[in-house]
Amino acid sequence: MAQNLQAVGSVTPSQPQSQLDADAGQAYFDHVMAEDSRIEPRDWMPDAYRRTLVRQISQHAHSEIIGMQPEANWISRAPSLKRKAILMAKVQDEAGHGLYLYSAAETLGTSRDEMMGQLVAGKARYSSIFNYPTVTWADMGAIGWMVDGAAICNQVPLCRASYGPYGRAMVRVCKEESFHQRQGFEILLELANGNPAQKQMAQDAVNRWYAPSLMMFGPPDDDSPNSKQSMAWNIKRFSNDELRSRFVGMMAEQVRVLGLSLPDPEVRFNEDTKTWEHGPLDWEEFKQVLAGRGPCNAQRLERRRQAHDDGGWVREAATAYAAKMAAKNEAAA
Amino acid sequence: MIPTGSQPSQAQAGSLAGVGPSTGSQPSQAQAGSLAGVGPSTGSQPSQAQAGSLAGVGPASATRITPGNALRPEDIALEVQRGEAKPSEDVGEYALRLGDDALILAQRLGHWISRAPELEEDVALGNIALDQLGHARSLLTYAGAAWGKTEDELAYFRREPEFRSAHLFEQPNGDFAVTIVRQFIVSYYQYELYRRLTASTDATVAAIAAKAVKEVDYHRDHSAQWVLRLALGTDESRSRLLAGLRLLWPYVGELFEDDALTARLGDAAVAPSSMRADFDRLTNEVLTEAEIDVPDVPSALGGGRRGQHSEHLGYILAEMQVLAREYPGASW
């Protein structure tokens, strides 16, 4: 797409930044935004756009990586071999998503090591919902159905994000997420049609994950300072509240198929505004968890840090070996 | 050199505009699983075919090694139901041994997911665990047909002495070097085993082996590359690898012990001792390149095939079986 726009002024997007006049760069960027086209890694872009993307994409990558933990918690205890296989595969997919996203962020000039360093140093954010514990098997269903469901609502519009590598990474991520959501729904459906204890387990999980999953869309629109700029940059396409409403509608329809209920008597479709509405959310709890006071914040970070530290000698060995082989090949050449 | 158990996908690298370091690509196993309602059909599977089917509703066969005719546990269960596959008790017992090895190893390897030294290894070890779990499911499904039991009845409702895993598979993960040494021994052993079993006179065993051998070949590649990296990387990695070899080599002997069952089975099975020379030769090639001598350690008395296990198995089963046993008869 970018190639089609090379006629704008004298700017060619493939020129290195150093040769670009900032005004021409800005003109090209503005044109891309106006055309709703795509910015590619070598194109000129405003520093703030770059910073915003690095922050958003790395937070997304961190969320995938930290998000492996609550589900990995049940791999060893999955109650059937089929479920074990599916869960293992799902958590493995999340590692893959983290990889695509770190790679997309790297195109903006920040290395994966640096981003990982920020994460283990506790200086980077990730989705707060992963700071809640997975206490029963039904949580595997609720996470798939609700948490991945919310992620899909958030991420499908990101497939059209103005930054090319991010949008393309999201295409693949979303396709896999939709399977994750279906497997979560299937777990809950099986439990809801199981014995009374299983059905109770499913309802309890839905009750616990409902509010945190609604809060995944971020603060209400009137309290979301960054949203406006992100929308102007064609990164964000819909407001937090729009996406949340859409998600509530999905849940409200699907929960009936499960034969379970949402723990919110105020969920309803407003015929006047044609949107789904929900009851009040505890934003104070959201801020507490975001500030590090969730049930599992310290545990999640410590596990990541420990894996990183324990693996240090392995990464050093791989690097040393690669250097030795390169030297050997060079000597032979 | 392929850094992980999975094959890199050109299509995928391309989709990220060829940016950043290449990320070990990985098939979406969950996709195959949740779509067809089956477990993963493959682990070490290129995602090329899958990329094509990612329109959202691709067929489950998209992640199979041999699209269209790879054997899934569900296929075996169906054959059993129809009376098309029925193992003798001896074959059932033999499949139980192989299936338990794979199941216990999958349980061990699964623990690495979210704890590996690098994200690529979370993916690679996860892939290998999935492959092993897939083999276990097929083998246990078939074994169960000898006694009218399902894979889950065998996995979740047998007691410790009823398991048939060899001690090597039960050994703790240890550090990454210990896990790699265990993988190195296991994958070279399983490759020789499955390669020969493709000629088993039992058609189902042969079919399971034909699928497994392709996957285990990738596991060999993964483990051999890591043996070289760790042996020739740094002083620390070398000493950890050597410690791992000394720790686990005593359990090699049990894998190659013949007994009355393997003698009775004849060409339906493989005489374990007949694989030893190839195993020694091929592992030696890697160890020689790694500038390592085969550890000079005595063989440990095994007994796993007779239900005499290491101290570790009880804990593995306690964790694996806890939920299923809390709700016997429940469907999941």
Side-chain angles (χ1 to χ4, degrees):
Chain A
M1 259 187 272
Q3 290 88 319
N4 301 334
L5 294 163
Q6 288 187 6
V8 183
S10 59
V11 180
T12 49
S14 58
Q15 265 183 295
Q17 266 187 58
S18 58
Q19 293 170 34
L20 280 175
D21 169 72
D23 288 345
Q26 183 73 51
Y28 172 71
F29 181 84
D30 291 345
H31 185 80
V32 169
M33 291 302 129
E35 293 281 300
D36 200 358
S37 186
R38 273 192 158 154
I39 291 292
E40 296 298 334
R42 289 190 174 83
D43 293 349
W44 186 92
M45 64 188 87
D47 286 343
Y49 176 82
R50 186 184 299 272
R51 277 199 308 275
T52 296
L53 280 166
V54 169
R55 181 175 50 86
Q56 180 171 338
I57 300 172
S58 65
Q59 282 180 10
H60 189 166
H62 298 331
S63 301
E64 297 282 358
I65 301 310
I66 296 290
M68 294 168 71
Q69 292 182 29
E71 292 178 284
N73 186 39
W74 281 91
I75 289 176
S76 65
R77 294 174 291 166
S80 76
L81 296 185
K82 177 181 121 181
R83 292 283 171 215
K84 187 191 290 288
I86 293 171
L87 183 61
M88 233 184 226
K90 176 182 193 290
V91 181
Q92 189 206 31
D93 274 354
E94 282 153 12
H97 296 175
L99 282 169
Y100 318 146
L101 288 161
Y102 283 127
S103 295
E106 283 192 309
T107 64
L108 292 157
T110 306
S111 74
R112 183 166 127 200
D113 281 352
E114 195 178 326
M115 292 181 272
M116 194 59 91
Q118 288 165 351
L119 176 62
V120 297
K123 289 178 182 161
R125 282 192 172 158
Y126 55 86
S127 185
S128 251
I129 200 158
F130 300 120
N131 292 315
Y132 288 91
T134 51
V135 292
T136 72
W137 169 252
D139 290 13
M140 299 304 98
I143 288 184
W145 180 50
M146 305 177 95
V147 178
D148 292 336
I152 291 168
C153 285
N154 249 331
Q155 292 168 10
V156 166
L158 289 174
C159 296
R160 295 191 288 125
S162 58
Y163 188 58
Y166 190 30
R168 288 188 289 272
M170 293 316 301
V171 171
R172 182 169 176 132
V173 168
C174 284
K175 282 168 181 167
E176 295 183 355
E177 290 294 349
S178 76
F179 288 101
H180 294 178
Q181 193 196 16
R182 286 168 63 168
Q183 67 86 36
F185 185 84
E186 198 189 50
I187 288 174
L188 290 178
L189 190 63
E190 194 77 40
L191 290 174
N193 290 307
N195 63 42
Q198 286 178 300
K199 184 164 185 178
Q200 180 52 42
M201 194 193 286
Q203 183 63 59
D204 169 66
V206 169
N207 293 351
R208 281 182 292 110
W209 292 94
Y210 172 75
S213 64
L214 258 61
M215 290 195 269
M216 283 175 71
F217 296 93
D221 293 347
D222 51 18
D223 188 25
S224 181
N226 298 327
S227 286
K228 206 174 162 198
Q229 179 62 73
S230 284
M231 289 176 87
W233 278 334
N234 297 340
I235 298 171
K236 196 173 170 66
R237 300 284 178 172
F238 301 99
S239 80
N240 294 352
D241 287 335
E242 279 175 302
L243 291 168
R244 185 165 20 243
S245 162
R246 200 177 291 177
F247 175 66
V248 167
M250 268 172 51
M251 295 292 103
E253 302 280 341
Q254 292 175 9
V255 78
R256 294 205 308 246
V257 180
L258 291 174
L260 300 173
S261 61
L262 296 177
D264 181 350
E266 294 179 49
V267 168
R268 67 178 195 114
F269 186 71
N270 184 326
E271 288 292 349
D272 297 332
T273 60
K274 302 288 178 203
T275 57
W276 282 88
E277 294 175 351
H278 56 85
L281 294 167
D282 184 355
W283 290 105
E284 186 49 37
E285 178 178 310
F286 180 77
K287 283 174 190 159
Q288 293 282 329
V289 178
L290 202 63
R293 289 188 281 276
C296 301
N297 293 61
Q299 177 192 333
R300 300 288 185 240
L301 210 55
E302 180 54 25
R303 161 89 81 86
R304 179 86 311 258
R305 192 178 293 137
Q306 198 178 343
H308 189 75
D309 292 350
D310 288 353
W313 68 270
V314 179
R315 295 190 298 274
E316 279 165 27
T319 306
Y321 177 75
K324 282 179 193 173
M325 289 302 108
K328 201 172 159 185
N329 288 341
E330 205 167 304
Chain B
M1 301 263 271
I2 297 166
T4 72
S6 59
Q7 287 191 344
S9 151
Q10 297 299 332
Q12 186 192 350
S15 73
L16 279 175
V19 295
S22 81
T23 65
S25 78
Q26 147 246 31
S28 172
Q29 306 269 0
Q31 181 184 9
S34 56
L35 244 197
V38 301
S41 35
T42 72
S44 315
Q45 162 69 12
S47 54
Q48 299 273 23
Q50 186 191 14
S53 76
L54 275 176
V57 288
S61 64
T63 60
R64 291 183 197 174
I65 274 214
T66 316
N69 61 20
L71 197 62
R72 303 169 308 146
E74 284 76 7
D75 298 330
I76 297 171
L78 216 58
E79 284 179 11
V80 167
Q81 259 177 28
R82 291 188 192 126
E84 293 164 9
K86 167 81 178 164
S88 65
E89 279 210 16
D90 275 353
V91 170
E93 176 74 14
Y94 185 67
L96 209 52
R97 293 179 177 188
L98 275 43
D100 283 348
D101 285 351
L103 175 63
I104 299 302
L105 182 62
Q107 187 73 4
R108 283 293 195 206
L109 287 173
H111 187 77
W112 276 106
I113 304 173
S114 76
R115 292 181 176 87
E118 193 65 283
L119 287 176
E120 283 82 350
E121 282 303 306
D122 280 297
V123 174
L125 292 172
N127 248 344
I128 295 169
L130 273 166
D131 287 344
Q132 293 288 333
L133 186 53
H135 307 162
R137 294 187 61 205
S138 290
L139 288 160
L140 293 183
T141 298
Y142 189 47
W147 304 284
K149 289 187 185 300
T150 65
E151 53 170 333
D152 285 337
E153 284 168 333
L154 289 176
Y156 292 97
F157 293 94
R158 269 183 303 157
R159 291 163 55 250
E160 197 176 330
E162 297 170 293
F163 273 77
R164 292 290 175 263
S165 45
H167 288 207
L168 176 68
F169 298 86
E170 301 166 8
Q171 298 305 304
N173 285 341
D175 64 10
F176 186 72
V178 171
T179 288
I180 288 302
V181 169
R182 193 181 58 202
Q183 277 311 110
F184 180 61
I185 300 168
V186 166
S187 59
Y188 277 78
Y189 158 73
Q190 286 184 331
Y191 183 80
E192 294 309 313
L193 175 69
Y194 290 132
R195 183 169 70 80
R196 288 166 172 80
L197 283 179
T198 58
S200 168
T201 52
D202 184 290
T204 306
V205 168
I208 295 171
K211 177 170 184 292
V213 69
K214 296 174 196 162
E215 296 171 358
V216 168
D217 196 14
Y218 285 114
H219 305 177
R220 286 200 311 176
D221 188 34
H222 174 263
S223 69
Q225 288 188 47
W226 272 114
V227 163
L228 292 174
R229 284 193 195 101
L230 298 183
L232 306 173
T234 63
D235 291 345
E236 181 179 7
S237 66
R238 185 173 180 84
S239 73
R240 284 178 184 261
L241 182 76
L242 293 173
L245 282 162
R246 280 192 303 274
L247 185 69
L248 294 183
W249 214 260
Y251 304 106
V252 170
E254 183 186 7
L255 304 176
F256 298 99
E257 283 171 13
D258 299 335
D259 67 2
L261 178 73
T262 54
R264 280 200 306 276
L265 282 169
D267 290 341
V270 177
S273 63
S274 70
M275 300 184 282
R276 184 68 199 247
D278 281 342
F279 171 86
D280 285 343
R281 181 175 54 79
L282 292 168
T283 50
N284 248 318
E285 280 178 13
V286 178
L287 293 177
T288 302
E289 193 181 339
E291 299 166 17
I292 289 174
D293 294 327
V294 176
D296 184 17
V297 288
S299 220
L301 279 177
R305 306 305 189 203
R306 299 186 300 278
Q308 293 162 7
H309 294 284
S310 68
E311 288 181 344
H312 312 295
L313 185 65
Y315 292 93
I316 297 173
L317 298 185
E319 187 174 359
M320 183 174 79
Q321 296 178 336
V322 61
L323 180 57
R325 284 183 176 234
E326 201 176 334
Y327 299 100
S331 166
W332 301 96

